[in-house]
PDB file of all heavy atoms in Angstrom:
ATOM      1  N   ALA A  76      -4.600   5.235  11.566  1.00 88.00           N
ATOM      2  CA  ALA A  76      -4.762   6.380  12.442  1.00 88.00           C
ATOM      3  C   ALA A  76      -5.056   7.665  11.659  1.00 88.00           C
ATOM      4  O   ALA A  76      -5.927   8.504  12.058  1.00 88.00           O
ATOM      5  CB  ALA A  76      -3.537   6.608  13.302  1.00 88.00           C
ATOM      6  N   SER A 132      17.151  15.672  -2.468  1.00 77.00           N
ATOM      7  CA  SER A 132      18.213  15.644  -3.383  1.00 77.00           C
ATOM      8  C   SER A 132      19.120  16.904  -3.184  1.00 77.00           C
ATOM      9  O   SER A 132      20.268  16.890  -3.569  1.00 77.00           O
ATOM     10  CB  SER A 132      17.708  15.536  -4.847  1.00 77.00           C
ATOM     11  OG  SER A 132      16.884  16.710  -5.090  1.00 77.00           O
ATOM     12  N   GLY A 134      19.766  18.018  -0.186  1.00 82.00           N
ATOM     13  CA  GLY A 134      20.352  17.971   1.084  1.00 82.00           C
ATOM     14  C   GLY A 134      19.584  18.355   2.323  1.00 82.00           C
ATOM     15  O   GLY A 134      20.124  18.466   3.358  1.00 82.00           O
ATOM     16  N   ALA A 146      24.762  -3.213   8.795  1.00 97.00           N
ATOM     17  CA  ALA A 146      24.919  -4.690   9.001  1.00 97.00           C
ATOM     18  C   ALA A 146      26.407  -4.979   9.276  1.00 97.00           C
ATOM     19  O   ALA A 146      27.338  -4.327   8.759  1.00 97.00           O
ATOM     20  CB  ALA A 146      24.541  -5.455   7.727  1.00 97.00           C
ATOM     21  N   VAL A 170      35.795 -16.424   4.740  1.00 98.00           N
ATOM     22  CA  VAL A 170      34.662 -16.996   5.391  1.00 98.00           C
ATOM     23  C   VAL A 170      34.460 -18.471   4.892  1.00 98.00           C
ATOM     24  O   VAL A 170      34.203 -19.396   5.653  1.00 98.00           O
ATOM     25  CB  VAL A 170      33.411 -16.170   5.075  1.00 98.00           C
ATOM     26  CG1 VAL A 170      32.157 -16.941   5.574  1.00 98.00           C
ATOM     27  CG2 VAL A 170      33.560 -14.806   5.780  1.00 98.00           C
ATOM     28  N   GLY A 181      34.140 -30.642  13.171  1.00 98.00           N
ATOM     29  CA  GLY A 181      32.958 -31.128  13.842  1.00 98.00           C
ATOM     30  C   GLY A 181      31.939 -30.167  14.217  1.00 98.00           C
ATOM     31  O   GLY A 181      30.947 -30.458  14.967  1.00 98.00           O
ATOM     32  N   ASN A 213      19.655   4.171  -7.648  1.00 95.00           N
ATOM     33  CA  ASN A 213      18.769   3.424  -6.567  1.00 95.00           C
ATOM     34  C   ASN A 213      17.451   4.207  -6.375  1.00 95.00           C
ATOM     35  O   ASN A 213      16.888   4.168  -5.258  1.00 95.00           O
ATOM     36  CB  ASN A 213      19.555   3.278  -5.283  1.00 95.00           C
ATOM     37  CG  ASN A 213      20.473   2.067  -5.258  1.00 95.00           C
ATOM     38  OD1 ASN A 213      20.474   1.297  -6.217  1.00 95.00           O
ATOM     39  ND2 ASN A 213      21.255   1.944  -4.231  1.00 95.00           N
ATOM     40  N   MET A 239      27.197 -23.019  -0.653  1.00 98.00           N
ATOM     41  CA  MET A 239      27.524 -23.093   0.721  1.00 98.00           C
ATOM     42  C   MET A 239      26.458 -23.815   1.528  1.00 98.00           C
ATOM     43  O   MET A 239      26.687 -24.646   2.408  1.00 98.00           O
ATOM     44  CB  MET A 239      27.788 -21.751   1.336  1.00 98.00           C
ATOM     45  CG  MET A 239      29.099 -21.060   0.695  1.00 98.00           C
ATOM     46  SD  MET A 239      30.637 -21.754   1.191  1.00 98.00           S
ATOM     47  CE  MET A 239      30.800 -21.101   2.801  1.00 98.00           C
ATOM     48  N   TYR A 240      25.186 -23.428   1.236  1.00 98.00           N
ATOM     49  CA  TYR A 240      24.051 -24.105   1.878  1.00 98.00           C
ATOM     50  C   TYR A 240      23.988 -25.569   1.538  1.00 98.00           C
ATOM     51  O   TYR A 240      23.784 -26.376   2.456  1.00 98.00           O
ATOM     52  CB  TYR A 240      22.791 -23.353   1.394  1.00 98.00           C
ATOM     53  CG  TYR A 240      21.462 -24.054   1.864  1.00 98.00           C
ATOM     54  CD1 TYR A 240      21.000 -23.901   3.167  1.00 98.00           C
ATOM     55  CD2 TYR A 240      20.764 -24.822   1.017  1.00 98.00           C
ATOM     56  CE1 TYR A 240      19.902 -24.567   3.623  1.00 98.00           C
ATOM     57  CE2 TYR A 240      19.574 -25.476   1.407  1.00 98.00           C
ATOM     58  CZ  TYR A 240      19.170 -25.287   2.771  1.00 98.00           C
ATOM     59  OH  TYR A 240      17.998 -25.928   3.244  1.00 98.00           O
ATOM     60  N   VAL A 246      23.834 -22.651   7.206  1.00 98.00           N
ATOM     61  CA  VAL A 246      22.648 -23.337   7.837  1.00 98.00           C
ATOM     62  C   VAL A 246      21.561 -22.464   8.010  1.00 98.00           C
ATOM     63  O   VAL A 246      21.728 -21.345   8.613  1.00 98.00           O
ATOM     64  CB  VAL A 246      23.015 -24.046   9.152  1.00 98.00           C
ATOM     65  CG1 VAL A 246      21.861 -24.818   9.678  1.00 98.00           C
ATOM     66  CG2 VAL A 246      24.196 -25.003   8.958  1.00 98.00           C
ATOM     67  N   SER A 270      24.366  -9.640  11.252  1.00 96.00           N
ATOM     68  CA  SER A 270      23.173  -8.996  11.832  1.00 96.00           C
ATOM     69  C   SER A 270      23.527  -7.491  11.947  1.00 96.00           C
ATOM     70  O   SER A 270      24.610  -7.123  11.631  1.00 96.00           O
ATOM     71  CB  SER A 270      22.795  -9.645  13.170  1.00 96.00           C
ATOM     72  OG  SER A 270      21.513  -9.124  13.593  1.00 96.00           O
ATOM     73  N   GLU A 320       1.435  23.660  20.454  1.00 97.00           N
ATOM     74  CA  GLU A 320       2.038  23.196  21.670  1.00 97.00           C
ATOM     75  C   GLU A 320       2.644  21.821  21.556  1.00 97.00           C
ATOM     76  O   GLU A 320       3.687  21.485  22.107  1.00 97.00           O
ATOM     77  CB  GLU A 320       1.143  23.287  22.837  1.00 97.00           C
ATOM     78  CG  GLU A 320       0.776  24.701  23.339  1.00 97.00           C
ATOM     79  CD  GLU A 320       1.984  25.427  23.739  1.00 97.00           C
ATOM     80  OE1 GLU A 320       2.805  24.881  24.524  1.00 97.00           O
ATOM     81  OE2 GLU A 320       2.194  26.600  23.282  1.00 97.00           O
ATOM     82  N   TYR A 347      22.836   0.762  18.898  1.00 90.00           N
ATOM     83  CA  TYR A 347      22.812   1.735  17.816  1.00 90.00           C
ATOM     84  C   TYR A 347      23.936   2.771  17.968  1.00 90.00           C
ATOM     85  O   TYR A 347      24.366   2.979  19.049  1.00 90.00           O
ATOM     86  CB  TYR A 347      21.387   2.446  17.877  1.00 90.00           C
ATOM     87  CG  TYR A 347      20.254   1.571  17.512  1.00 90.00           C
ATOM     88  CD1 TYR A 347      19.301   1.247  18.406  1.00 90.00           C
ATOM     89  CD2 TYR A 347      20.133   1.096  16.151  1.00 90.00           C
ATOM     90  CE1 TYR A 347      18.187   0.437  17.950  1.00 90.00           C
ATOM     91  CE2 TYR A 347      19.060   0.337  15.753  1.00 90.00           C
ATOM     92  CZ  TYR A 347      18.142  -0.045  16.705  1.00 90.00           C
ATOM     93  OH  TYR A 347      17.076  -0.786  16.242  1.00 90.00           O
ATOM     94  N   LEU A 401      10.405  -8.198   0.016  1.00 96.00           N
ATOM     95  CA  LEU A 401       9.715  -9.500   0.159  1.00 96.00           C
ATOM     96  C   LEU A 401       9.954 -10.379  -1.076  1.00 96.00           C
ATOM     97  O   LEU A 401      10.176 -11.589  -0.997  1.00 96.00           O
ATOM     98  CB  LEU A 401       8.245  -9.264   0.354  1.00 96.00           C
ATOM     99  CG  LEU A 401       7.396 -10.559   0.536  1.00 96.00           C
ATOM    100  CD1 LEU A 401       7.918 -11.356   1.808  1.00 96.00           C
ATOM    101  CD2 LEU A 401       5.959 -10.207   0.749  1.00 96.00           C
ATOM    102  N   VAL A 431       5.552  -3.640  -8.944  1.00 97.00           N
ATOM    103  CA  VAL A 431       5.246  -2.856  -7.746  1.00 97.00           C
ATOM    104  C   VAL A 431       5.647  -1.379  -7.996  1.00 97.00           C
ATOM    105  O   VAL A 431       4.928  -0.416  -7.608  1.00 97.00           O
ATOM    106  CB  VAL A 431       6.080  -3.397  -6.529  1.00 97.00           C
ATOM    107  CG1 VAL A 431       5.990  -2.452  -5.344  1.00 97.00           C
ATOM    108  CG2 VAL A 431       5.534  -4.792  -6.164  1.00 97.00           C
TER     109      VAL A 431
END
Side-chain angles (χ1 to χ4, degrees):
S132 58
V170 170
N213 281 352
M239 297 286 283
Y240 172 78
V246 179
S270 190
E320 288 301 312
Y347 288 113
L401 182 60
V431 170

